[in-house]
Structures are given as C-alpha cells and as structure tokens.
Amino acid sequence: MEFDPRSTIAETKRGLSQLSDIRDSFAKCRDTILRDVEAIKADVAAERPVIPEIQYRQIANDDVDEISRALVRQRGCVIVRGVFDPTQADEWNDEVGAYIDRNDYLTKAKAKAGIDKYFSALDDATPQIFGLYWSRPQVMARQAESMALTKRFLNRLYDVAAPMGQEFDPNHDFAYADRLRRRQPGDTTLGLSPHMDSGSYERWCDPAYQAIYRSIYQGDLESFDPWKAAFRTQTREYSSPAVCSMFRTFQGWTALTTQGPGDGTLSLLPIANSIGYMLLRALQDDVAEDDLCGAWPGRALGASPEWHGEILEGMVSIPEVHPGDTVWWHPDVLHSVANEHSGRDYANVIYIGASPVCAKNEAYAHKQADAFMAGRSAPDFAAEDYEIDFDGRAAIDDLTDLGRRQMGLKPA
C-alpha cells in the first residue's frame, strides 16, 4: 500500500502552528521577501547584474573579497567562471557526443522508456536529459583539482559548527554522480517549473529540517541563517528516484556549450532566505489542513502561481555562460528550466554539485562506488544501467588519487 502522508501533514501543521502567531509571522516574512523581489525587479529593469559572478582564478589565488562572499550568501547562488579551460570543455562536449553515438544510447533509451518516472514526459521524444554517469568527461570533471578548489570555496561559505561537533568537513568532498543535459535547439519537452530539490514535505515533517528552520517557525526570520550547517546532514528524505540522498551545500552544473537567456536553461530566485515564505505560506488558514501547497513525498518541492506567484516575479535567468563556466545554487533556492530552447545551438551541461565529507555522504559514496565499478546507474536514479557494457566508459584506472578519495575508494 502506497504511503499516504496526509495525517502526518495535518498533525505536523498543527504542531508548527503553535510555535508562533503563524499569520503574523508570515506577514512579516512576506514583507521582507517581497522587498527583495522588488529590488531584484529593479535591478533587472536597470540592466544591473543580479546573480553574483566570481572568476576561478580569484578562488585559486584566495583572492575573493568579503563583499563578494556576502553577496553570494545574500543571493544564494553564484557563477564561477573559467573553472575549466574552454578548449577542454569543448573537447569533453565532443567526447560525450561520440560516447552517446558509439554506444547507440538513443535506441537503448527508447527501449527503456518509462523507467525514469521523473522525466517520463521525454518517453516519446529525443531525450534532453541523458541517464549516463560514467563517461570519461563526467568523471574527469568531477575529479579535477579546479573543481575541488571551487567546491571547497563554496563549502566554506557555511558555518559548520553544530551541537555534536562540525557538521561536515568543508575541505573535502565526495563525488556525486549525476546525469548530462544535452538540450537541442527548438526543444519544448524539458521545461521544469520552479522548485527545490532534496526534500519536499520533509521540510515541514522531518525533525532535522524542523531544527534547521526552527527560528522561521517561531516567527523570527531575522535569526534564520541559511548558511548555518547545523542539522543539515541529519535530514532524512523520502526515498524516490527523484530525490538526492546526499547532502549538497550547492547544486550545480558545468557548461559544455555557451548558453543563456532564451536557450532553455536555468532561472533562479536569488534570495537565499526565501524558504521562509515557502514554509510559512503552507501553514496559513486558506491551505487545507492536510496540504502543504502541493508538497508531496518523492517529488521536488514546487512553487506554483496559485500559492507563491508573488515571489516568482523575482525569478531571473542566468546570464550567458561559456564552456568551462560553472553555475551553483543553495539547496533552499527555487530554480526552474525554461519551457523552450529558442536559441540556435545545443545547451549542454554536466551536473556536478558540492557534496562535502560527512557520515550521510560517506554512506552513499560506498554504494555509488559499487555502481561505478559495475557500470550501473548511480544509486539515487532509476536503474536504467545503460553503461554496463558501454565502450569508453570510465574505469578505476581513470581515477586520480583525488578521484579515488572522492569516490570513497580511499580514505577522504
């Protein structure tokens, strides 16, 4: 029998609503977030940049000033340019294409249509998300020293102090094997409405999430700091092929082609503490007692025009990025993918997030390493297992010493 969380949701909402005057708490939070939305709209109208940008060389030289760090913390997202040389990214893009063609991926994907329920809308179309994890370019990008330095910088934006000791090690990272996006011009199948990953109804119902967001539920939004790591590695998400089992300080991807507004790529709500609006909105009287504005186990946490339309006005497209640039966003940041790719060239990326060393991530890394050795799909994803017999799949000999540590094959 499928799990029905309605009674849990209703009970949880009653408990959370007793932590403060929930209507007044939401009104104050709403005012704060809408001021931020208006500021973003003003910046866009004046053609001022909204999403922070940092050059990789600044990270490599430890030359990122405090003003830049504070802006990343405020916005909850950042573009780090030049993590890889453009020529290297171009070569990886070509190599991935050859890997797909040589192994007849499209034919095999059509035969397995429907296994990956999260992207079931793609079953009868040319795929734009490819269920591949172990091509050489993906493995090389994950284990690159420049990527490790970038993720270390991002991890260090967090305050890792926690009641039981350091919540995670910001200086070391486990690899999280994710897929590829190769979106062709004219595609209309890959649009994703605004959402957050890594938990939906859990953000209200899970005890660790409740601890993370305690000050919000208590009506003290000013005290909420999205960069406090305490309890974030303790959360337990409902198991689903659409849910990440690792803790990620940032979600992210690496561009293999040039892409930007109009190219069917990423938009963000660049307000790091906007989660307060999402959480408190669901506790208001106009939402049914067993409903969390549509949040449901095993799905991404969506933001809809019905419940969240006024904050969605702050969504902005990323600016143009180029091969070798990377894009990163906090796990509490709403993001979406445009419904149509109206550009002229492919919009291709390798999904790579920041997943620091902690007990939760180590447990997953060991399962992932077994999948890597066998060529199976990564454990969080549908068991399509295309690459078991793929020619050119990365093998253990392709891993550097850093890559072996990141895969949990050597002590981190």
Side-chain angles (χ1 to χ4, degrees):
M1 182 176 179
E2 186 175 351
F3 170 57
D4 187 340
R6 297 183 194 278
S7 61
T8 300
I9 289 173
E11 180 180 357
T12 298
K13 288 180 68 171
R14 285 192 292 271
L16 294 176
S17 295
Q18 295 174 7
L19 296 178
S20 69
D21 180 338
I22 215 68
R23 183 181 299 179
D24 182 65
S25 296
F26 176 64
K28 292 176 180 176
C29 174
R30 177 177 179 270
D31 286 346
T32 297
I33 301 305
L34 291 187
R35 283 197 297 270
D36 290 339
V37 168
E38 290 304 313
I40 290 169
K41 292 166 64 177
D43 284 341
V44 171
E47 299 184 347
R48 292 188 292 264
V50 176
I51 298 174
E53 298 186 18
I54 295 172
Q55 298 293 328
Y56 168 71
R57 64 176 178 271
Q58 294 175 271
I59 293 174
N61 295 331
D62 194 21
D63 193 29
V64 182
D65 59 45
E66 287 304 318
I67 294 175
S68 298
R69 295 171 195 262
L71 185 57
V72 175
R73 290 190 178 101
Q74 175 191 349
R75 295 300 195 189
C77 54
V78 63
I79 295 169
V80 181
R81 295 196 180 272
V83 174
F84 299 105
D85 184 273
T87 301
Q88 174 68 85
D90 288 339
E91 290 175 356
W92 281 342
N93 187 50
D94 292 342
E95 186 175 345
V96 166
Y99 182 70
I100 290 168
D101 293 342
R102 184 169 65 251
N103 291 289
D104 198 18
Y105 172 85
L106 295 180
T107 299
K108 294 171 183 176
K110 190 174 182 62
K112 294 189 178 185
I115 294 177
D116 185 348
K117 301 298 183 183
Y118 192 60
F119 289 102
S120 57
L122 304 184
D123 290 351
D124 297 320
T126 301
Q128 312 295 309
I129 297 290
F130 290 71
L132 302 174
Y133 308 87
W134 311 120
S135 70
R136 282 192 69 263
Q138 288 168 285
V139 171
M140 296 301 107
R142 290 178 199 133
Q143 70 179 0
E145 293 286 347
S146 58
M147 178 61 72
L149 279 177
T150 300
K151 291 193 287 186
R152 186 179 305 160
F153 165 79
L154 296 169
N155 291 340
R156 288 176 173 176
L157 293 172
Y158 281 77
D159 174 2
V160 299
M164 301 300 290
Q166 186 170 279
E167 192 71 21
F168 61 79
D169 178 356
N171 298 318
H172 299 93
D173 210 80
F174 284 117
Y176 182 72
D178 206 330
R179 295 170 291 192
L180 298 159
R181 184 235 291 165
R182 295 175 68 81
R183 194 172 193 189
Q184 60 187 344
D187 174 65
T188 59
T189 66
L190 189 56
L192 295 174
S193 58
H195 66 283
M196 298 175 192
D197 300 302
S198 300
S200 57
Y201 93 117
E202 298 95 326
R203 292 178 188 262
W204 291 267
C205 299
D206 176 72
Y209 270 123
Q210 290 178 357
I212 294 166
Y213 303 134
R214 177 67 60 178
S215 63
I216 293 174
Y217 292 126
Q218 291 176 335
D220 185 11
L221 184 68
E222 292 79 11
S223 294
F224 173 67
D225 183 353
W227 304 99
K228 284 189 177 296
F231 305 110
R232 284 194 177 268
T233 74
Q234 312 303 315
T235 61
R236 292 295 177 265
E237 290 76 31
Y238 182 83
S239 181
S240 162
V243 172
C244 175
S245 296
M246 270 192 168
F247 165 65
R248 291 177 290 186
T249 55
F250 282 81
Q251 295 171 247
W253 50 252
T254 297
L256 298 182
T257 60
T258 296
Q259 54 201 278
D263 293 330
T265 191
L266 184 72
S267 289
L268 299 162
L269 179 64
I271 306 173
N273 65 347
S274 59
I275 184 67
Y277 184 104
M278 298 287 293
L279 297 175
L280 296 173
R281 182 68 187 88
L283 303 182
Q284 300 309 298
D285 292 341
D286 61 337
V287 184
E289 67 172 9
D290 61 353
D291 182 25
L292 291 166
C293 296
W296 198 253
R299 300 179 188 169
L301 174 57
S304 67
E306 177 184 5
W307 300 115
H308 315 102
E310 57 190 0
I311 66 169
L312 296 181
E313 294 181 15
M315 296 284 294
V316 296
S317 173
I318 61 167
E320 186 172 84
V321 295
H322 304 285
D325 291 343
T326 59
V327 184
W328 306 89
W329 61 100
H330 187 284
D332 288 348
V333 164
L334 284 168
H335 55 285
S336 65
V337 177
N339 288 330
E340 182 177 0
H341 179 358
S342 55
R344 294 181 297 177
D345 299 310
Y346 269 81
N348 297 348
V349 308
I350 297 174
Y351 293 109
I352 303 176
S355 37
V357 167
C358 62
K360 180 177 186 175
N361 290 353
E362 183 175 11
Y364 182 84
H366 292 310
K367 294 187 294 182
Q368 181 178 256
D370 290 340
F372 166 69
M373 300 295 284
R376 300 192 307 270
S377 297
D380 266 351
F381 299 87
E384 296 165 300
D385 297 337
Y386 296 113
E387 295 174 276
I388 289 175
D389 59 356
F390 266 27
D391 177 37
R393 169 170 60 88
I396 192 167
D397 289 344
D398 292 302
L399 297 181
T400 62
D401 187 65
L402 174 59
R404 290 170 188 257
R405 295 199 305 272
Q406 290 178 335
M407 287 294 292
L409 296 172
K410 291 185 66 174

PDB file of all heavy atoms in Angstrom, residues 392-411:
ATOM      1  N   GLY A 392      34.151   2.718 -23.847  1.00  0.00           N
ATOM      2  CA  GLY A 392      34.670   4.023 -23.482  1.00  0.00           C
ATOM      3  C   GLY A 392      34.223   4.508 -22.122  1.00  0.00           C
ATOM      4  O   GLY A 392      34.553   5.639 -21.746  1.00  0.00           O
ATOM      5  N   ARG A 393      33.506   3.679 -21.367  1.00  0.00           N
ATOM      6  CA  ARG A 393      33.115   4.065 -20.015  1.00  0.00           C
ATOM      7  C   ARG A 393      34.353   4.198 -19.141  1.00  0.00           C
ATOM      8  O   ARG A 393      35.293   3.412 -19.241  1.00  0.00           O
ATOM      9  CB  ARG A 393      32.163   3.007 -19.441  1.00  0.00           C
ATOM     10  CG  ARG A 393      31.899   3.150 -17.955  1.00  0.00           C
ATOM     11  CD  ARG A 393      30.756   2.231 -17.492  1.00  0.00           C
ATOM     12  NE  ARG A 393      31.009   0.834 -17.723  1.00  0.00           N
ATOM     13  CZ  ARG A 393      31.651   0.018 -16.875  1.00  0.00           C
ATOM     14  NH1 ARG A 393      32.172   0.511 -15.758  1.00  0.00           N
ATOM     15  NH2 ARG A 393      31.805  -1.260 -17.153  1.00  0.00           N
ATOM     16  N   ALA A 394      34.365   5.196 -18.263  1.00  0.00           N
ATOM     17  CA  ALA A 394      35.494   5.383 -17.358  1.00  0.00           C
ATOM     18  C   ALA A 394      35.626   4.185 -16.427  1.00  0.00           C
ATOM     19  O   ALA A 394      34.632   3.596 -15.994  1.00  0.00           O
ATOM     20  CB  ALA A 394      35.314   6.660 -16.548  1.00  0.00           C
ATOM     21  N   ALA A 395      36.871   3.823 -16.139  1.00  0.00           N
ATOM     22  CA  ALA A 395      37.161   2.695 -15.251  1.00  0.00           C
ATOM     23  C   ALA A 395      38.018   3.185 -14.096  1.00  0.00           C
ATOM     24  O   ALA A 395      38.446   4.348 -14.053  1.00  0.00           O
ATOM     25  CB  ALA A 395      37.877   1.591 -16.026  1.00  0.00           C
ATOM     26  N   ILE A 396      38.296   2.293 -13.172  1.00  0.00           N
ATOM     27  CA  ILE A 396      39.030   2.686 -11.972  1.00  0.00           C
ATOM     28  C   ILE A 396      40.412   3.236 -12.310  1.00  0.00           C
ATOM     29  O   ILE A 396      40.927   4.117 -11.616  1.00  0.00           O
ATOM     30  CB  ILE A 396      39.126   1.513 -10.977  1.00  0.00           C
ATOM     31  CG1 ILE A 396      39.637   2.013  -9.621  1.00  0.00           C
ATOM     32  CG2 ILE A 396      39.964   0.375 -11.545  1.00  0.00           C
ATOM     33  CD1 ILE A 396      39.471   1.026  -8.499  1.00  0.00           C
ATOM     34  N   ASP A 397      41.004   2.768 -13.402  1.00  0.00           N
ATOM     35  CA  ASP A 397      42.322   3.273 -13.793  1.00  0.00           C
ATOM     36  C   ASP A 397      42.278   4.733 -14.251  1.00  0.00           C
ATOM     37  O   ASP A 397      43.317   5.394 -14.338  1.00  0.00           O
ATOM     38  CB  ASP A 397      42.911   2.407 -14.909  1.00  0.00           C
ATOM     39  CG  ASP A 397      43.336   1.035 -14.410  1.00  0.00           C
ATOM     40  OD1 ASP A 397      43.461   0.870 -13.178  1.00  0.00           O
ATOM     41  OD2 ASP A 397      43.530   0.131 -15.242  1.00  0.00           O
ATOM     42  N   ASP A 398      41.077   5.228 -14.553  1.00  0.00           N
ATOM     43  CA  ASP A 398      40.933   6.631 -14.943  1.00  0.00           C
ATOM     44  C   ASP A 398      40.869   7.563 -13.742  1.00  0.00           C
ATOM     45  O   ASP A 398      40.938   8.795 -13.907  1.00  0.00           O
ATOM     46  CB  ASP A 398      39.660   6.818 -15.775  1.00  0.00           C
ATOM     47  CG  ASP A 398      39.749   6.142 -17.125  1.00  0.00           C
ATOM     48  OD1 ASP A 398      40.680   6.467 -17.889  1.00  0.00           O
ATOM     49  OD2 ASP A 398      38.897   5.277 -17.412  1.00  0.00           O
ATOM     50  N   LEU A 399      40.735   7.001 -12.553  1.00  0.00           N
ATOM     51  CA  LEU A 399      40.623   7.823 -11.354  1.00  0.00           C
ATOM     52  C   LEU A 399      41.997   8.248 -10.861  1.00  0.00           C
ATOM     53  O   LEU A 399      42.910   7.433 -10.754  1.00  0.00           O
ATOM     54  CB  LEU A 399      39.905   7.064 -10.242  1.00  0.00           C
ATOM     55  CG  LEU A 399      38.452   6.662 -10.489  1.00  0.00           C
ATOM     56  CD1 LEU A 399      37.899   5.928  -9.270  1.00  0.00           C
ATOM     57  CD2 LEU A 399      37.599   7.867 -10.822  1.00  0.00           C
ATOM     58  N   THR A 400      42.119   9.530 -10.559  1.00  0.00           N
ATOM     59  CA  THR A 400      43.317  10.026  -9.898  1.00  0.00           C
ATOM     60  C   THR A 400      43.242   9.675  -8.414  1.00  0.00           C
ATOM     61  O   THR A 400      42.237   9.130  -7.931  1.00  0.00           O
ATOM     62  CB  THR A 400      43.409  11.542 -10.059  1.00  0.00           C
ATOM     63  OG1 THR A 400      42.265  12.140  -9.424  1.00  0.00           O
ATOM     64  CG2 THR A 400      43.439  11.941 -11.528  1.00  0.00           C
ATOM     65  N   ASP A 401      44.288  10.013  -7.694  1.00  0.00           N
ATOM     66  CA  ASP A 401      44.256   9.792  -6.251  1.00  0.00           C
ATOM     67  C   ASP A 401      43.101  10.568  -5.626  1.00  0.00           C
ATOM     68  O   ASP A 401      42.369  10.045  -4.768  1.00  0.00           O
ATOM     69  CB  ASP A 401      45.583  10.221  -5.631  1.00  0.00           C
ATOM     70  CG  ASP A 401      45.678   9.859  -4.159  1.00  0.00           C
ATOM     71  OD1 ASP A 401      45.690   8.664  -3.841  1.00  0.00           O
ATOM     72  OD2 ASP A 401      45.729  10.798  -3.325  1.00  0.00           O
ATOM     73  N   LEU A 402      42.907  11.821  -6.069  1.00  0.00           N
ATOM     74  CA  LEU A 402      41.789  12.607  -5.587  1.00  0.00           C
ATOM     75  C   LEU A 402      40.471  11.958  -5.970  1.00  0.00           C
ATOM     76  O   LEU A 402      39.528  11.879  -5.159  1.00  0.00           O
ATOM     77  CB  LEU A 402      41.856  14.029  -6.152  1.00  0.00           C
ATOM     78  CG  LEU A 402      40.671  14.955  -5.844  1.00  0.00           C
ATOM     79  CD1 LEU A 402      40.491  15.122  -4.337  1.00  0.00           C
ATOM     80  CD2 LEU A 402      40.838  16.300  -6.543  1.00  0.00           C
ATOM     81  N   GLY A 403      40.381  11.481  -7.198  1.00  0.00           N
ATOM     82  CA  GLY A 403      39.151  10.848  -7.663  1.00  0.00           C
ATOM     83  C   GLY A 403      38.800   9.609  -6.841  1.00  0.00           C
ATOM     84  O   GLY A 403      37.624   9.363  -6.553  1.00  0.00           O
ATOM     85  N   ARG A 404      39.791   8.828  -6.460  1.00  0.00           N
ATOM     86  CA  ARG A 404      39.535   7.640  -5.625  1.00  0.00           C
ATOM     87  C   ARG A 404      39.022   8.046  -4.254  1.00  0.00           C
ATOM     88  O   ARG A 404      38.107   7.410  -3.708  1.00  0.00           O
ATOM     89  CB  ARG A 404      40.806   6.800  -5.503  1.00  0.00           C
ATOM     90  CG  ARG A 404      41.200   6.108  -6.798  1.00  0.00           C
ATOM     91  CD  ARG A 404      42.591   5.488  -6.701  1.00  0.00           C
ATOM     92  NE  ARG A 404      43.047   4.987  -7.986  1.00  0.00           N
ATOM     93  CZ  ARG A 404      43.048   3.703  -8.327  1.00  0.00           C
ATOM     94  NH1 ARG A 404      42.655   2.783  -7.473  1.00  0.00           N
ATOM     95  NH2 ARG A 404      43.466   3.329  -9.526  1.00  0.00           N
ATOM     96  N   ARG A 405      39.576   9.123  -3.687  1.00  0.00           N
ATOM     97  CA  ARG A 405      39.081   9.581  -2.391  1.00  0.00           C
ATOM     98  C   ARG A 405      37.657  10.094  -2.514  1.00  0.00           C
ATOM     99  O   ARG A 405      36.812   9.827  -1.646  1.00  0.00           O
ATOM    100  CB  ARG A 405      39.999  10.677  -1.825  1.00  0.00           C
ATOM    101  CG  ARG A 405      41.419  10.190  -1.492  1.00  0.00           C
ATOM    102  CD  ARG A 405      42.125  11.137  -0.537  1.00  0.00           C
ATOM    103  NE  ARG A 405      42.176  12.513  -1.017  1.00  0.00           N
ATOM    104  CZ  ARG A 405      43.139  13.005  -1.796  1.00  0.00           C
ATOM    105  NH1 ARG A 405      44.125  12.208  -2.199  1.00  0.00           N
ATOM    106  NH2 ARG A 405      43.128  14.265  -2.174  1.00  0.00           N
ATOM    107  N   GLN A 406      37.389  10.820  -3.572  1.00  0.00           N
ATOM    108  CA  GLN A 406      36.049  11.352  -3.764  1.00  0.00           C
ATOM    109  C   GLN A 406      35.011  10.265  -4.009  1.00  0.00           C
ATOM    110  O   GLN A 406      33.829  10.456  -3.721  1.00  0.00           O
ATOM    111  CB  GLN A 406      36.046  12.331  -4.949  1.00  0.00           C
ATOM    112  CG  GLN A 406      36.780  13.627  -4.696  1.00  0.00           C
ATOM    113  CD  GLN A 406      36.791  14.513  -5.911  1.00  0.00           C
ATOM    114  OE1 GLN A 406      36.684  14.048  -7.042  1.00  0.00           O
ATOM    115  NE2 GLN A 406      36.935  15.807  -5.698  1.00  0.00           N
ATOM    116  N   MET A 407      35.440   9.128  -4.512  1.00  0.00           N
ATOM    117  CA  MET A 407      34.545   8.003  -4.738  1.00  0.00           C
ATOM    118  C   MET A 407      34.449   7.075  -3.532  1.00  0.00           C
ATOM    119  O   MET A 407      33.770   6.061  -3.576  1.00  0.00           O
ATOM    120  CB  MET A 407      34.993   7.210  -5.961  1.00  0.00           C
ATOM    121  CG  MET A 407      34.724   7.909  -7.286  1.00  0.00           C
ATOM    122  SD  MET A 407      32.966   8.110  -7.650  1.00  0.00           S
ATOM    123  CE  MET A 407      32.496   6.402  -7.890  1.00  0.00           C
ATOM    124  N   GLY A 408      35.139   7.426  -2.457  1.00  0.00           N
ATOM    125  CA  GLY A 408      35.097   6.587  -1.275  1.00  0.00           C
ATOM    126  C   GLY A 408      35.928   5.327  -1.389  1.00  0.00           C
ATOM    127  O   GLY A 408      35.787   4.407  -0.579  1.00  0.00           O
ATOM    128  N   LEU A 409      36.826   5.285  -2.391  1.00  0.00           N
ATOM    129  CA  LEU A 409      37.680   4.113  -2.585  1.00  0.00           C
ATOM    130  C   LEU A 409      38.990   4.231  -1.825  1.00  0.00           C
ATOM    131  O   LEU A 409      39.753   3.283  -1.780  1.00  0.00           O
ATOM    132  CB  LEU A 409      37.946   3.930  -4.094  1.00  0.00           C
ATOM    133  CG  LEU A 409      36.696   3.623  -4.925  1.00  0.00           C
ATOM    134  CD1 LEU A 409      37.028   3.652  -6.417  1.00  0.00           C
ATOM    135  CD2 LEU A 409      36.093   2.271  -4.533  1.00  0.00           C
ATOM    136  N   LYS A 410      39.241   5.413  -1.276  1.00  0.00           N
ATOM    137  CA  LYS A 410      40.377   5.642  -0.370  1.00  0.00           C
ATOM    138  C   LYS A 410      39.889   6.559   0.724  1.00  0.00           C
ATOM    139  O   LYS A 410      38.919   7.325   0.526  1.00  0.00           O
ATOM    140  CB  LYS A 410      41.550   6.310  -1.124  1.00  0.00           C
ATOM    141  CG  LYS A 410      42.253   5.441  -2.145  1.00  0.00           C
ATOM    142  CD  LYS A 410      43.453   6.165  -2.729  1.00  0.00           C
ATOM    143  CE  LYS A 410      44.548   6.399  -1.684  1.00  0.00           C
ATOM    144  NZ  LYS A 410      45.777   6.976  -2.276  1.00  0.00           N
ATOM    145  N   PRO A 411      40.515   6.558   1.895  1.00  0.00           N
ATOM    146  CA  PRO A 411      40.073   7.457   2.963  1.00  0.00           C
ATOM    147  C   PRO A 411      40.109   8.908   2.513  1.00  0.00           C
ATOM    148  O   PRO A 411      41.073   9.352   1.880  1.00  0.00           O
ATOM    149  CB  PRO A 411      41.077   7.199   4.082  1.00  0.00           C
ATOM    150  CG  PRO A 411      41.581   5.807   3.826  1.00  0.00           C
ATOM    151  CD  PRO A 411      41.609   5.656   2.332  1.00  0.00           C
TER     152      PRO A 411
END
